[in-house]
Amino acid sequence: MTTQDAPTGAVSRPGLARYTTAFLIVGVPVALLCVILFQLCDNVWFSAGSVLTYQAFIPLGALALAWNRRQELRKIITELALLFPDPEHPKRRGNEWLAVFGALVILLGVIISLPVVGLIGLLLLVIGIVFCIWGPFVLRGLAAPISYLVLSFIPPPVQGLVGPISSNFHFRSVAFAGYILRAMGRKPTILGPTLTLNGQSPLYVPSSFSGMGLLLGALAFTILVILWNRLKIGPAFLLLFTSVALALAANMLRVLMLVSLQNPSLLPEPLFLIFVCLPLWFAGGFLARQAAAQVREL
Amino acid sequence: MTFRLVRLGALLSIVALVALYAVVRLNTRGRWLPSLPLKIGQWSVTEMPVNEEERNMLGNPKLNGFELANPLQERIFGRIVAVNSFDVFSPPSVFQYYAVTAEKAQPLEGGGKGLLQIYRQFGSDVRIAMLSWAQRPDGSVSLIGVPAGASHDPLARFNLGTQTVFQENRSCLIRLFIMIHPADPSGAQARRNLINAANDLRKALLGGKQPAPSAEGDLRISEGGKDSEYVSDKTATTENVPTNQLLSLKPGSTWDFESVVMQDDGAVKVSEKVIVGGTRVVAGQTGVDVSIFRSGKLWRREVYQQDSKGLRLLAFGDATATLIEISPPLDLVNYPVKEGADVYWKGTLSIRGRKLPTAGYSRVSARENIVSTAGRFAAYRLDSVFTVEGETPTHFPAIRWLAPGIGFVRRGYADDGKPAVAQLKRFTVK
């Protein structure tokens, strides 16, 4: 008498039920902790003029990186299953204490109202859950997404560091816009973040035009691209420098566009068009070349 | 499904539920906010909406923004914020580009201390003074979380968080801040205004009740800083002046001024001469006639009264009309002169038999060194305003710089609604 085994890779109904139950048991409290953390970070990420808005999208980037490495992860899991058939073997499972510690750190972040502590807690929670369910080898396989979370999620100390730098960027952006306008034969008066042109009422350039948000966002996106493409250190640094230059140029463009809204007569001036179009042309060209390279690889 | 996974899920669920409880408590406990009266001592109160950026920075708490104005129209901005988390201790959005350059614990009337800080704009000399304290419904004050450095103190944050989540901790953060005028040496007047307003506000919020004793606590305030003279008691100390005669009112005393009047088409220079005449009786009060001549013609007249108690104005008028009588005499300054001392007055102006209710306010704002062609003088700046009350109140502001034993060394006034400044050129004091 012959019997037919279930096809390899298919999940049996009891197995599916088991996975679903496990997902609910761990997933529901994790989702609740994520919602609480999101509420804690809401003001930091989505307040007007926030320079850390990009952080709200970091988890998506980390998930994308994990998805990008799914073949390797599958391979690691399969190899481990072959090498260590016992599913409770320490190479295939870790303990749960790191995940619980991460959750406690999130709770501490809520009580002391410090989003950065909550985000550190989330990092520990993610690392702890991966370690508990899949063990140390899969955790190592997820080094890239976890590094991305660590690099992009820990906000710099806003009051101590970003505040003065942001103010410096803000004033310098306005001053640089003044240089460009002087090169165009205008006579702007710059006083801190205020720019006055042609005797019109002073134009206050808001602090959100400091460019810090754009710069940090561009850096986070560039790190994602570097990790996604597994670039070596040389090209990685080149890409980082390019993104910094593009972010600064794009911010200058924003300031100039703001000035042109108050002074529509600037728009048809050739020098203004050059200053506005050059960064766009370079940025567009760079992105188009990158996209073409990706398509060719596919 | 392993036991380990179930245990992980159970432990995570417990922590998540405690976190949810903490969030709910933080959002519901810290909702206490006292209502703001329309008038606080000498300060009139106007509600000022707080912009969304600032609301977000503070974590969207329940809060009130307001502006206080004194009779001289000096303005103090304020915030009363319900304390529900440490976010509310973030500085108001106007301080985004400012750094704390000095701070000290400032005693408040009724016990307890507030935190006095000087904020200086990056790369400029623009300064703002801010006085903050946390007040409970019983009027006691605390500085938990108020010091700027406390936001980096995890223990203080933990204490505040656990008190709000697990105990009955209702309090509101009160902040008053004022721009320091460049002509205000070491911000002494700005600081006096802040402290007066803080004391008046604290009393007003209690509605006449005595505040409960405030715990001193561990303040952890770094006294001093780069702008330490702006918080120093030395500059704020009231100074007793060994004179009781600011203005020489002996007949024959004269002061020659050069006035600059800002007309619509530019500044116009005019020469003025102030001459002390004889005595005059106004509404039963004896004063001294002071005439002001412009380009040789009588332009204005003022009648002053001075004795050991102070200097008062009895009447004023122009060259043609009969004098406008002030009843009772308008107090300008009380003797002995004290820097920061102010005088309130309520009375009537009599103009051709009509009596108009009027309020007056006068303050010795600063001791300043005045340099003019007549010399260098240590003078008291006397800021005063009197307001003819009615449906549309009319304000008559004036600034007089008076040097002890000499009298007027500079005057600032409104000439037919146009600002004018008179500088002393020569003087003869009898």
Side-chain angles (χ1 to χ4, degrees), chain A residues 18 22 39 43 47 88 93-94 96 103 107 111-113 167 170 207, chain B residues 1-2 4-5 7 13 15 19 27 56 59 85 96-97 122 157-158 161:
Chain A
R18 204 166 60 222
Q39 189 254 358
N43 291 312
S47 63
E88 293 304 310
R93 298 276 188 273
E96 66 276 23
L107 172 63
I111 288 176
I112 65 177
S113 310
S167 125
H170 185 196
S207 57
Chain B
M1 189 168 54
T2 63
R4 190 180 298 173
L5 210 57
R7 196 166 58 182
S13 299
V15 179
N27 286 334
N56 286 334
S85 80
Q96 205 173 6
Y97 293 148
F122 299 136
R157 298 185 75 110
F158 186 75

PDB file of all heavy atoms in Angstrom, chain A residues 18 22 39 43 47 88 93-94 96 103 107 111-113 167 170 207, chain B residues 1-2 4-5 7 13 15 19 27 56 59 85 96-97 122 157-158 161:
ATOM      1  N   ARG A  18      -2.371  27.021  14.114  1.00  0.00           N
ATOM      2  CA  ARG A  18      -1.351  27.270  15.123  1.00  0.00           C
ATOM      3  C   ARG A  18      -0.661  28.625  14.881  1.00  0.00           C
ATOM      4  O   ARG A  18      -0.474  29.424  15.781  1.00  0.00           O
ATOM      5  CB  ARG A  18      -0.334  26.133  15.072  1.00  0.00           C
ATOM      6  CG  ARG A  18       0.395  25.953  16.385  1.00  0.00           C
ATOM      7  CD  ARG A  18       1.130  24.637  16.440  1.00  0.00           C
ATOM      8  NE  ARG A  18       2.129  24.518  15.387  1.00  0.00           N
ATOM      9  CZ  ARG A  18       2.347  23.422  14.665  1.00  0.00           C
ATOM     10  NH1 ARG A  18       1.588  22.364  14.857  1.00  0.00           N
ATOM     11  NH2 ARG A  18       3.294  23.371  13.763  1.00  0.00           N
ATOM     12  N   ALA A  22      -0.753  31.871  17.212  1.00  0.00           N
ATOM     13  CA  ALA A  22       0.504  32.467  17.679  1.00  0.00           C
ATOM     14  C   ALA A  22       0.564  33.937  17.286  1.00  0.00           C
ATOM     15  O   ALA A  22       0.972  34.792  18.084  1.00  0.00           O
ATOM     16  CB  ALA A  22       1.686  31.714  17.067  1.00  0.00           C
ATOM     17  N   GLN A  39       1.151  57.088  19.203  1.00  0.00           N
ATOM     18  CA  GLN A  39       0.511  58.229  19.870  1.00  0.00           C
ATOM     19  C   GLN A  39       1.551  59.069  20.601  1.00  0.00           C
ATOM     20  O   GLN A  39       1.494  60.291  20.612  1.00  0.00           O
ATOM     21  CB  GLN A  39      -0.548  57.683  20.835  1.00  0.00           C
ATOM     22  CG  GLN A  39      -1.460  58.732  21.445  1.00  0.00           C
ATOM     23  CD  GLN A  39      -1.127  59.001  22.904  1.00  0.00           C
ATOM     24  OE1 GLN A  39      -0.249  58.382  23.474  1.00  0.00           O
ATOM     25  NE2 GLN A  39      -1.820  59.964  23.480  1.00  0.00           N
ATOM     26  N   ASN A  43       3.355  63.806  18.150  1.00  0.00           N
ATOM     27  CA  ASN A  43       3.712  65.232  18.188  1.00  0.00           C
ATOM     28  C   ASN A  43       5.094  65.497  17.612  1.00  0.00           C
ATOM     29  O   ASN A  43       5.341  66.559  17.074  1.00  0.00           O
ATOM     30  CB  ASN A  43       3.660  65.749  19.624  1.00  0.00           C
ATOM     31  CG  ASN A  43       2.254  65.801  20.122  1.00  0.00           C
ATOM     32  OD1 ASN A  43       1.376  66.302  19.439  1.00  0.00           O
ATOM     33  ND2 ASN A  43       2.033  65.242  21.295  1.00  0.00           N
ATOM     34  N   SER A  47       4.087  67.312  13.992  1.00  0.00           N
ATOM     35  CA  SER A  47       3.838  68.713  14.333  1.00  0.00           C
ATOM     36  C   SER A  47       4.358  69.584  13.193  1.00  0.00           C
ATOM     37  O   SER A  47       5.281  69.194  12.467  1.00  0.00           O
ATOM     38  CB  SER A  47       4.534  69.067  15.641  1.00  0.00           C
ATOM     39  OG  SER A  47       5.916  68.940  15.494  1.00  0.00           O
ATOM     40  N   GLU A  88      12.752  23.333  19.437  1.00  0.00           N
ATOM     41  CA  GLU A  88      13.077  24.087  20.645  1.00  0.00           C
ATOM     42  C   GLU A  88      14.586  24.198  20.860  1.00  0.00           C
ATOM     43  O   GLU A  88      15.039  24.641  21.925  1.00  0.00           O
ATOM     44  CB  GLU A  88      12.436  23.412  21.868  1.00  0.00           C
ATOM     45  CG  GLU A  88      10.917  23.460  21.871  1.00  0.00           C
ATOM     46  CD  GLU A  88      10.365  24.872  21.755  1.00  0.00           C
ATOM     47  OE1 GLU A  88      10.808  25.758  22.518  1.00  0.00           O
ATOM     48  OE2 GLU A  88       9.497  25.106  20.888  1.00  0.00           O
ATOM     49  N   ARG A  93      15.477  28.840  18.520  1.00  0.00           N
ATOM     50  CA  ARG A  93      14.588  29.646  19.371  1.00  0.00           C
ATOM     51  C   ARG A  93      15.429  30.366  20.426  1.00  0.00           C
ATOM     52  O   ARG A  93      16.393  29.793  20.931  1.00  0.00           O
ATOM     53  CB  ARG A  93      13.580  28.763  20.126  1.00  0.00           C
ATOM     54  CG  ARG A  93      12.631  27.977  19.258  1.00  0.00           C
ATOM     55  CD  ARG A  93      11.435  28.809  18.835  1.00  0.00           C
ATOM     56  NE  ARG A  93      10.445  27.998  18.161  1.00  0.00           N
ATOM     57  CZ  ARG A  93      10.449  27.745  16.855  1.00  0.00           C
ATOM     58  NH1 ARG A  93      11.405  28.224  16.093  1.00  0.00           N
ATOM     59  NH2 ARG A  93       9.514  27.011  16.311  1.00  0.00           N
ATOM     60  N   GLY A  94      15.020  31.573  20.795  1.00  0.00           N
ATOM     61  CA  GLY A  94      15.686  32.267  21.897  1.00  0.00           C
ATOM     62  C   GLY A  94      14.720  32.373  23.061  1.00  0.00           C
ATOM     63  O   GLY A  94      13.617  31.828  23.003  1.00  0.00           O
ATOM     64  N   GLU A  96      12.378  34.864  25.744  1.00  0.00           N
ATOM     65  CA  GLU A  96      11.463  35.977  25.483  1.00  0.00           C
ATOM     66  C   GLU A  96      11.801  37.232  26.281  1.00  0.00           C
ATOM     67  O   GLU A  96      11.135  38.246  26.166  1.00  0.00           O
ATOM     68  CB  GLU A  96      10.018  35.549  25.782  1.00  0.00           C
ATOM     69  CG  GLU A  96       9.713  35.247  27.235  1.00  0.00           C
ATOM     70  CD  GLU A  96      10.074  33.830  27.644  1.00  0.00           C
ATOM     71  OE1 GLU A  96      10.933  33.212  26.988  1.00  0.00           O
ATOM     72  OE2 GLU A  96       9.510  33.349  28.626  1.00  0.00           O
ATOM     73  N   ALA A 103       9.263  45.869  25.705  1.00  0.00           N
ATOM     74  CA  ALA A 103       7.908  46.362  25.992  1.00  0.00           C
ATOM     75  C   ALA A 103       7.914  47.244  27.237  1.00  0.00           C
ATOM     76  O   ALA A 103       7.240  48.285  27.283  1.00  0.00           O
ATOM     77  CB  ALA A 103       6.963  45.179  26.174  1.00  0.00           C
ATOM     78  N   LEU A 107       6.843  51.170  27.826  1.00  0.00           N
ATOM     79  CA  LEU A 107       6.005  51.660  28.934  1.00  0.00           C
ATOM     80  C   LEU A 107       6.703  52.811  29.665  1.00  0.00           C
ATOM     81  O   LEU A 107       6.082  53.838  29.966  1.00  0.00           O
ATOM     82  CB  LEU A 107       5.709  50.504  29.899  1.00  0.00           C
ATOM     83  CG  LEU A 107       5.017  50.865  31.211  1.00  0.00           C
ATOM     84  CD1 LEU A 107       3.622  51.441  30.948  1.00  0.00           C
ATOM     85  CD2 LEU A 107       4.900  49.658  32.131  1.00  0.00           C
ATOM     86  N   ILE A 111       5.507  56.736  30.245  1.00  0.00           N
ATOM     87  CA  ILE A 111       5.387  57.395  31.554  1.00  0.00           C
ATOM     88  C   ILE A 111       6.246  58.650  31.620  1.00  0.00           C
ATOM     89  O   ILE A 111       5.829  59.671  32.141  1.00  0.00           O
ATOM     90  CB  ILE A 111       5.754  56.407  32.691  1.00  0.00           C
ATOM     91  CG1 ILE A 111       4.625  55.387  32.824  1.00  0.00           C
ATOM     92  CG2 ILE A 111       5.962  57.117  34.023  1.00  0.00           C
ATOM     93  CD1 ILE A 111       4.870  54.295  33.825  1.00  0.00           C
ATOM     94  N   ILE A 112       7.450  58.601  31.035  1.00  0.00           N
ATOM     95  CA  ILE A 112       8.308  59.787  31.109  1.00  0.00           C
ATOM     96  C   ILE A 112       8.142  60.663  29.871  1.00  0.00           C
ATOM     97  O   ILE A 112       8.856  61.657  29.726  1.00  0.00           O
ATOM     98  CB  ILE A 112       9.789  59.423  31.358  1.00  0.00           C
ATOM     99  CG1 ILE A 112      10.382  58.654  30.179  1.00  0.00           C
ATOM    100  CG2 ILE A 112       9.951  58.627  32.627  1.00  0.00           C
ATOM    101  CD1 ILE A 112      11.865  58.352  30.363  1.00  0.00           C
ATOM    102  N   SER A 113       7.203  60.321  28.998  1.00  0.00           N
ATOM    103  CA  SER A 113       6.892  61.119  27.800  1.00  0.00           C
ATOM    104  C   SER A 113       8.121  61.405  26.954  1.00  0.00           C
ATOM    105  O   SER A 113       8.343  62.530  26.540  1.00  0.00           O
ATOM    106  CB  SER A 113       6.267  62.466  28.151  1.00  0.00           C
ATOM    107  OG  SER A 113       5.238  62.298  29.023  1.00  0.00           O
ATOM    108  N   SER A 167      18.501  76.231  13.426  1.00  0.00           N
ATOM    109  CA  SER A 167      18.427  77.694  13.366  1.00  0.00           C
ATOM    110  C   SER A 167      19.501  78.236  12.435  1.00  0.00           C
ATOM    111  O   SER A 167      19.269  79.133  11.626  1.00  0.00           O
ATOM    112  CB  SER A 167      18.574  78.254  14.779  1.00  0.00           C
ATOM    113  OG  SER A 167      19.590  79.168  14.879  1.00  0.00           O
ATOM    114  N   HIS A 170      18.473  77.551   8.968  1.00  0.00           N
ATOM    115  CA  HIS A 170      17.356  78.423   8.625  1.00  0.00           C
ATOM    116  C   HIS A 170      17.884  79.796   8.183  1.00  0.00           C
ATOM    117  O   HIS A 170      17.555  80.289   7.105  1.00  0.00           O
ATOM    118  CB  HIS A 170      16.464  78.551   9.869  1.00  0.00           C
ATOM    119  CG  HIS A 170      15.221  79.324   9.661  1.00  0.00           C
ATOM    120  ND1 HIS A 170      14.485  79.810  10.701  1.00  0.00           N
ATOM    121  CD2 HIS A 170      14.575  79.741   8.545  1.00  0.00           C
ATOM    122  CE1 HIS A 170      13.449  80.445  10.238  1.00  0.00           C
ATOM    123  NE2 HIS A 170      13.486  80.438   8.935  1.00  0.00           N
ATOM    124  N   SER A 207      10.385  78.581  10.065  1.00  0.00           N
ATOM    125  CA  SER A 207      11.479  77.706  10.491  1.00  0.00           C
ATOM    126  C   SER A 207      11.437  76.358   9.773  1.00  0.00           C
ATOM    127  O   SER A 207      12.457  75.675   9.691  1.00  0.00           O
ATOM    128  CB  SER A 207      11.419  77.486  11.999  1.00  0.00           C
ATOM    129  OG  SER A 207      10.174  76.966  12.357  1.00  0.00           O
TER     130      SER A 207
ATOM    131  N   MET B   1       2.314  25.232  18.829  1.00  0.00           N
ATOM    132  CA  MET B   1       2.555  26.486  19.549  1.00  0.00           C
ATOM    133  C   MET B   1       3.208  26.174  20.894  1.00  0.00           C
ATOM    134  O   MET B   1       2.711  25.367  21.657  1.00  0.00           O
ATOM    135  CB  MET B   1       1.233  27.188  19.767  1.00  0.00           C
ATOM    136  CG  MET B   1       1.406  28.567  20.297  1.00  0.00           C
ATOM    137  SD  MET B   1      -0.131  29.464  20.216  1.00  0.00           S
ATOM    138  CE  MET B   1      -1.246  28.388  21.080  1.00  0.00           C
ATOM    139  N   THR B   2       4.330  26.793  21.134  1.00  0.00           N
ATOM    140  CA  THR B   2       5.070  26.438  22.342  1.00  0.00           C
ATOM    141  C   THR B   2       4.589  27.250  23.537  1.00  0.00           C
ATOM    142  O   THR B   2       3.987  28.317  23.391  1.00  0.00           O
ATOM    143  CB  THR B   2       6.563  26.716  22.136  1.00  0.00           C
ATOM    144  OG1 THR B   2       6.706  28.110  21.926  1.00  0.00           O
ATOM    145  CG2 THR B   2       7.104  25.941  20.959  1.00  0.00           C
ATOM    146  N   ARG B   4       6.542  28.759  25.427  1.00  0.00           N
ATOM    147  CA  ARG B   4       7.330  29.993  25.452  1.00  0.00           C
ATOM    148  C   ARG B   4       6.614  31.131  24.715  1.00  0.00           C
ATOM    149  O   ARG B   4       6.596  32.267  25.151  1.00  0.00           O
ATOM    150  CB  ARG B   4       8.675  29.713  24.793  1.00  0.00           C
ATOM    151  CG  ARG B   4       9.668  30.836  24.982  1.00  0.00           C
ATOM    152  CD  ARG B   4      10.950  30.505  24.310  1.00  0.00           C
ATOM    153  NE  ARG B   4      11.557  29.305  24.878  1.00  0.00           N
ATOM    154  CZ  ARG B   4      12.629  28.729  24.364  1.00  0.00           C
ATOM    155  NH1 ARG B   4      13.186  29.207  23.287  1.00  0.00           N
ATOM    156  NH2 ARG B   4      13.134  27.656  24.921  1.00  0.00           N
ATOM    157  N   LEU B   5       5.985  30.763  23.586  1.00  0.00           N
ATOM    158  CA  LEU B   5       5.284  31.781  22.794  1.00  0.00           C
ATOM    159  C   LEU B   5       4.068  32.314  23.559  1.00  0.00           C
ATOM    160  O   LEU B   5       3.785  33.514  23.559  1.00  0.00           O
ATOM    161  CB  LEU B   5       4.841  31.159  21.462  1.00  0.00           C
ATOM    162  CG  LEU B   5       4.756  32.091  20.273  1.00  0.00           C
ATOM    163  CD1 LEU B   5       6.075  32.776  20.020  1.00  0.00           C
ATOM    164  CD2 LEU B   5       4.315  31.319  19.041  1.00  0.00           C
ATOM    165  N   ARG B   7       3.761  32.348  26.765  1.00  0.00           N
ATOM    166  CA  ARG B   7       4.268  33.172  27.863  1.00  0.00           C
ATOM    167  C   ARG B   7       4.678  34.559  27.359  1.00  0.00           C
ATOM    168  O   ARG B   7       4.394  35.571  27.981  1.00  0.00           O
ATOM    169  CB  ARG B   7       5.465  32.468  28.505  1.00  0.00           C
ATOM    170  CG  ARG B   7       5.801  33.034  29.862  1.00  0.00           C
ATOM    171  CD  ARG B   7       6.743  32.140  30.610  1.00  0.00           C
ATOM    172  NE  ARG B   7       7.990  31.931  29.866  1.00  0.00           N
ATOM    173  CZ  ARG B   7       8.987  31.151  30.296  1.00  0.00           C
ATOM    174  NH1 ARG B   7       8.854  30.492  31.418  1.00  0.00           N
ATOM    175  NH2 ARG B   7      10.082  30.996  29.591  1.00  0.00           N
ATOM    176  N   SER B  13       1.123  41.198  26.693  1.00  0.00           N
ATOM    177  CA  SER B  13      -0.244  41.697  26.890  1.00  0.00           C
ATOM    178  C   SER B  13      -0.335  42.483  28.197  1.00  0.00           C
ATOM    179  O   SER B  13      -0.958  43.550  28.247  1.00  0.00           O
ATOM    180  CB  SER B  13      -1.251  40.545  26.932  1.00  0.00           C
ATOM    181  OG  SER B  13      -1.214  39.868  25.713  1.00  0.00           O
ATOM    182  N   VAL B  15       2.093  44.074  29.795  1.00  0.00           N
ATOM    183  CA  VAL B  15       2.791  45.368  29.659  1.00  0.00           C
ATOM    184  C   VAL B  15       1.966  46.316  28.793  1.00  0.00           C
ATOM    185  O   VAL B  15       1.826  47.511  29.099  1.00  0.00           O
ATOM    186  CB  VAL B  15       4.204  45.160  29.060  1.00  0.00           C
ATOM    187  CG1 VAL B  15       4.910  46.497  28.908  1.00  0.00           C
ATOM    188  CG2 VAL B  15       5.030  44.235  29.933  1.00  0.00           C
ATOM    189  N   ALA B  19       0.490  49.950  29.793  1.00  0.00           N
ATOM    190  CA  ALA B  19       0.824  51.136  28.988  1.00  0.00           C
ATOM    191  C   ALA B  19      -0.454  51.853  28.549  1.00  0.00           C
ATOM    192  O   ALA B  19      -0.530  53.088  28.566  1.00  0.00           O
ATOM    193  CB  ALA B  19       1.652  50.731  27.777  1.00  0.00           C
ATOM    194  N   ASN B  27      -3.877  61.212  29.791  1.00  0.00           N
ATOM    195  CA  ASN B  27      -4.730  62.076  28.970  1.00  0.00           C
ATOM    196  C   ASN B  27      -5.950  62.594  29.710  1.00  0.00           C
ATOM    197  O   ASN B  27      -6.567  63.549  29.272  1.00  0.00           O
ATOM    198  CB  ASN B  27      -5.174  61.342  27.697  1.00  0.00           C
ATOM    199  CG  ASN B  27      -4.028  61.237  26.723  1.00  0.00           C
ATOM    200  OD1 ASN B  27      -3.109  62.061  26.749  1.00  0.00           O
ATOM    201  ND2 ASN B  27      -4.044  60.218  25.894  1.00  0.00           N
ATOM    202  N   ASN B  56       1.150  71.546  19.291  1.00  0.00           N
ATOM    203  CA  ASN B  56       1.726  70.241  18.990  1.00  0.00           C
ATOM    204  C   ASN B  56       2.995  70.001  19.785  1.00  0.00           C
ATOM    205  O   ASN B  56       3.232  68.897  20.282  1.00  0.00           O
ATOM    206  CB  ASN B  56       2.029  70.129  17.495  1.00  0.00           C
ATOM    207  CG  ASN B  56       0.768  69.951  16.687  1.00  0.00           C
ATOM    208  OD1 ASN B  56      -0.234  69.448  17.191  1.00  0.00           O
ATOM    209  ND2 ASN B  56       0.782  70.382  15.444  1.00  0.00           N
ATOM    210  N   GLY B  59       2.326  68.827  23.107  1.00  0.00           N
ATOM    211  CA  GLY B  59       1.596  67.568  23.195  1.00  0.00           C
ATOM    212  C   GLY B  59       0.096  67.753  23.276  1.00  0.00           C
ATOM    213  O   GLY B  59      -0.597  66.938  23.878  1.00  0.00           O
ATOM    214  N   SER B  85       1.907  65.809  30.899  1.00  0.00           N
ATOM    215  CA  SER B  85       3.134  65.068  30.632  1.00  0.00           C
ATOM    216  C   SER B  85       4.270  66.074  30.559  1.00  0.00           C
ATOM    217  O   SER B  85       4.053  67.281  30.627  1.00  0.00           O
ATOM    218  CB  SER B  85       3.046  64.315  29.308  1.00  0.00           C
ATOM    219  OG  SER B  85       3.294  65.199  28.246  1.00  0.00           O
ATOM    220  N   GLN B  96      12.058  79.086  19.917  1.00  0.00           N
ATOM    221  CA  GLN B  96      12.705  78.059  19.101  1.00  0.00           C
ATOM    222  C   GLN B  96      14.183  78.390  18.843  1.00  0.00           C
ATOM    223  O   GLN B  96      15.021  77.507  18.853  1.00  0.00           O
ATOM    224  CB  GLN B  96      11.959  77.964  17.784  1.00  0.00           C
ATOM    225  CG  GLN B  96      12.096  76.637  17.129  1.00  0.00           C
ATOM    226  CD  GLN B  96      11.191  76.545  15.925  1.00  0.00           C
ATOM    227  OE1 GLN B  96      10.553  77.509  15.523  1.00  0.00           O
ATOM    228  NE2 GLN B  96      11.149  75.381  15.330  1.00  0.00           N
ATOM    229  N   TYR B  97      14.464  79.661  18.596  1.00  0.00           N
ATOM    230  CA  TYR B  97      15.833  80.044  18.255  1.00  0.00           C
ATOM    231  C   TYR B  97      16.501  80.819  19.384  1.00  0.00           C
ATOM    232  O   TYR B  97      17.293  81.722  19.148  1.00  0.00           O
ATOM    233  CB  TYR B  97      15.838  80.846  16.958  1.00  0.00           C
ATOM    234  CG  TYR B  97      15.441  80.003  15.784  1.00  0.00           C
ATOM    235  CD1 TYR B  97      14.757  80.545  14.709  1.00  0.00           C
ATOM    236  CD2 TYR B  97      15.748  78.648  15.752  1.00  0.00           C
ATOM    237  CE1 TYR B  97      14.385  79.749  13.636  1.00  0.00           C
ATOM    238  CE2 TYR B  97      15.382  77.854  14.699  1.00  0.00           C
ATOM    239  CZ  TYR B  97      14.703  78.408  13.642  1.00  0.00           C
ATOM    240  OH  TYR B  97      14.341  77.622  12.588  1.00  0.00           O
ATOM    241  N   PHE B 122      19.819  83.271  19.240  1.00  0.00           N
ATOM    242  CA  PHE B 122      21.118  82.870  18.693  1.00  0.00           C
ATOM    243  C   PHE B 122      21.640  84.001  17.800  1.00  0.00           C
ATOM    244  O   PHE B 122      20.940  84.471  16.907  1.00  0.00           O
ATOM    245  CB  PHE B 122      20.994  81.602  17.844  1.00  0.00           C
ATOM    246  CG  PHE B 122      20.495  80.401  18.614  1.00  0.00           C
ATOM    247  CD1 PHE B 122      19.534  79.565  18.081  1.00  0.00           C
ATOM    248  CD2 PHE B 122      21.004  80.101  19.868  1.00  0.00           C
ATOM    249  CE1 PHE B 122      19.071  78.459  18.778  1.00  0.00           C
ATOM    250  CE2 PHE B 122      20.549  79.005  20.585  1.00  0.00           C
ATOM    251  CZ  PHE B 122      19.583  78.186  20.037  1.00  0.00           C
ATOM    252  N   ARG B 157      11.314  63.290  35.329  1.00  0.00           N
ATOM    253  CA  ARG B 157      10.272  62.918  34.367  1.00  0.00           C
ATOM    254  C   ARG B 157       9.501  61.702  34.891  1.00  0.00           C
ATOM    255  O   ARG B 157       8.273  61.640  34.795  1.00  0.00           O
ATOM    256  CB  ARG B 157      10.878  62.601  33.003  1.00  0.00           C
ATOM    257  CG  ARG B 157      11.600  63.760  32.354  1.00  0.00           C
ATOM    258  CD  ARG B 157      12.064  63.393  30.969  1.00  0.00           C
ATOM    259  NE  ARG B 157      10.939  63.389  30.057  1.00  0.00           N
ATOM    260  CZ  ARG B 157      10.737  64.279  29.105  1.00  0.00           C
ATOM    261  NH1 ARG B 157      11.594  65.260  28.932  1.00  0.00           N
ATOM    262  NH2 ARG B 157       9.693  64.204  28.316  1.00  0.00           N
ATOM    263  N   PHE B 158      10.237  60.728  35.433  1.00  0.00           N
ATOM    264  CA  PHE B 158       9.598  59.523  35.935  1.00  0.00           C
ATOM    265  C   PHE B 158       8.676  59.865  37.104  1.00  0.00           C
ATOM    266  O   PHE B 158       7.544  59.375  37.185  1.00  0.00           O
ATOM    267  CB  PHE B 158      10.673  58.512  36.356  1.00  0.00           C
ATOM    268  CG  PHE B 158      10.118  57.182  36.754  1.00  0.00           C
ATOM    269  CD1 PHE B 158       9.655  56.289  35.796  1.00  0.00           C
ATOM    270  CD2 PHE B 158      10.023  56.823  38.082  1.00  0.00           C
ATOM    271  CE1 PHE B 158       9.115  55.067  36.152  1.00  0.00           C
ATOM    272  CE2 PHE B 158       9.489  55.603  38.452  1.00  0.00           C
ATOM    273  CZ  PHE B 158       9.036  54.728  37.476  1.00  0.00           C
ATOM    274  N   GLY B 161       5.588  61.573  35.787  1.00  0.00           N
ATOM    275  CA  GLY B 161       4.748  60.599  35.071  1.00  0.00           C
ATOM    276  C   GLY B 161       4.018  59.675  36.010  1.00  0.00           C
ATOM    277  O   GLY B 161       2.801  59.493  35.922  1.00  0.00           O
TER     278      GLY B 161
END
